[in-house]
Amino acid sequence: MSHHVRKHSRGRNAADRSYERDSLTPEDAEAFATFLVEAEPVIAAKKTQLEAVGDRLYKSWAHSKQDKEDGLFKFIVAREFSPPEALKMLQSLLTFRIDNKVSQIDLKLAEHHLDYRNPFMDLRIEAISGCPIAYGRLNVMHHGMDVEAFKQSLFATFEKIFLVEKYTRKQVVGIIDFEEWGVGKNFIASAMTKLVNTAQDLFPESLYRVYLINYPGTVKAAYNIIAPLLSTRTTSKIVWLKTKEEYLPKIRAEVADPNKLPTWLGGKAEIKQPLPPPPAAAHPASHSPVTGWMHRS
């Protein structure tokens, strides 16, 4: 396997680069073409194992060349158009999906996400960009929750949004609500850090934009410390909106049909807002096949 070695790819400013397939520079287009060729034997080598676990991602790629190319494009973008790095990411993803049988997670865990302290739900409406919109109210999480059950439910939500529903080739618009959230009762740093890292590996380049609303000053202060370490591409996707007067107009402008928004986000749809369930309602998803996630390197 000959790797296409690129110069200066990681040093280029994200603002100077196009991430749309129809407007790539010749250099980036060549890198993507190289990656497509080199990805084929990597996927073929895992074919039997992927089929054995009924992997949804593999099925999608086997069924549609468009889905495969759109999916692989996310890997090359996530690794700044470096084919060797994108190949490493692809290999890691396929291995993780096989070893952990990700596609065998019960999707009902997404439907009953509040039982597992999973704050995120697909609002089943689209942004102007065509992306699905997911909402999460973080005070649903709690220090006493079952972290493994939470993780399994969250992955079920991701699988449903990206691989089961009609959004296979789309990114997602996220709304993260900090209302009534507190460090003392809701902050679980190790779980969330692992979650973010794993989600980025499993679903690269899947975030179109994220709105952080009703946030406390401590959260923004912490972000300001780490922001210089983040890429311009990442920070450009984050929108901070503290009050309803700030976020309701912005969110309504993001949505293709604002009336389909829930009433608690300024729309007319009667969608139940996710709120913390009573402690007795939480129960572990012990039947899920995924294990060892919290100890993943």
Side-chain angles (χ1 to χ4, degrees):
M1 182 184 296
S2 62
H3 290 310
H4 181 91
V5 179
R6 310 195 64 240
K7 296 180 180 179
H8 309 305
S9 65
R10 288 183 178 274
R12 292 174 58 185
N13 192 316
D16 299 331
R17 158 174 274 152
S18 170
Y19 293 92
E20 300 296 329
R21 285 181 60 183
D22 59 358
S23 57
L24 295 177
T25 65
E27 185 184 16
D28 288 346
E30 181 187 358
F32 180 46
T34 299
F35 174 57
L36 286 178
V37 172
E38 296 188 340
E40 286 300 326
V42 172
I43 298 170
K46 302 284 188 181
K47 177 177 184 290
T48 300
Q49 294 167 287
L50 290 164
E51 290 179 337
V53 297
D55 190 76
R56 296 186 187 96
L57 181 63
Y58 176 77
K59 286 180 180 178
S60 171
W61 289 359
H63 176 73
S64 168
K65 180 181 178 181
Q66 182 71 48
D67 281 358
K68 179 190 283 187
E69 290 191 0
D70 285 343
L72 291 175
F73 184 66
K74 293 181 178 181
F75 287 82
I76 197 71
V77 168
R79 289 298 178 260
E80 293 292 331
F81 292 88
S82 169
E85 293 301 316
L87 281 172
K88 290 179 184 178
M89 188 180 195
L90 175 62
Q91 289 172 322
S92 295
L93 172 135
L94 296 179
T95 299
F96 184 83
R97 293 187 68 87
I98 292 167
D99 290 348
N100 293 284
K101 301 180 177 64
V102 174
S103 290
Q104 294 181 20
I105 297 176
D106 188 351
L107 293 182
K108 290 183 179 179
L109 301 183
E111 297 173 14
H112 303 287
H113 61 109
L114 291 179
D115 290 346
Y116 304 99
R117 300 288 183 176
N118 168 12
F120 294 100
M121 60 184 291
D122 181 1
L123 292 181
R124 307 195 67 78
I125 56 177
E126 291 187 2
I128 294 174
S129 59
C131 301
I133 299 178
Y135 171 86
R137 181 166 167 141
L138 294 191
N139 77 325
V140 166
M141 299 184 342
H142 192 277
H143 272 300
M145 73 185 192
D146 184 307
V147 174
E148 185 69 15
F150 158 79
K151 176 266 303 184
Q152 293 160 13
S153 175
L154 200 60
F155 280 179
T157 300
F158 291 159
E159 287 280 297
K160 196 167 185 181
I161 290 177
F162 292 113
L163 298 178
V164 178
E165 304 292 352
K166 62 181 179 179
Y167 308 122
T168 305
R169 297 192 296 272
K170 298 292 185 182
Q171 295 174 303
V172 66
V173 173
I175 301 172
I176 299 180
D177 192 345
F178 285 88
E179 187 172 5
E180 297 182 359
W181 175 90
V183 173
K185 63 178 180 179
N186 299 121
F187 186 66
I188 306 171
S190 60
M192 289 304 294
T193 300
K194 279 287 188 181
L195 166 67
V196 170
N197 290 338
T198 304
Q200 287 177 338
D201 289 346
L202 289 177
F203 304 95
E205 280 300 303
S206 293
L207 183 64
Y208 181 80
R209 184 176 294 114
V210 60
Y211 292 97
L212 304 181
I213 65 175
N214 295 316
Y215 60 88
T218 52
V219 171
K220 185 65 182 294
Y223 171 80
N224 288 338
I225 294 174
I226 66 170
L229 304 177
L230 304 176
S231 69
T232 302
R233 180 163 171 77
T234 297
T235 56
S236 67
K237 296 180 179 183
I238 302 172
V239 182
W240 294 85
L241 301 167
K242 190 174 182 64
T243 67
K244 284 187 176 181
E245 290 73 22
E246 291 177 310
Y247 67 74
L248 289 182
K250 289 280 189 180
I251 292 173
R252 285 182 62 84
E254 180 80 60
V255 180
D257 184 352
N259 289 331
K260 292 184 179 180
L261 279 168
T263 53
W264 33 273
L265 286 177
K268 296 182 179 180
E270 294 297 331
I271 301 174
K272 186 177 181 181
Q273 186 176 19
L275 298 172
H283 53 281
S286 57
H287 58 285
S288 170
V290 180
T291 58
W293 167 79
M294 289 300 293
H295 303 289
R296 176 175 169 271
S297 60

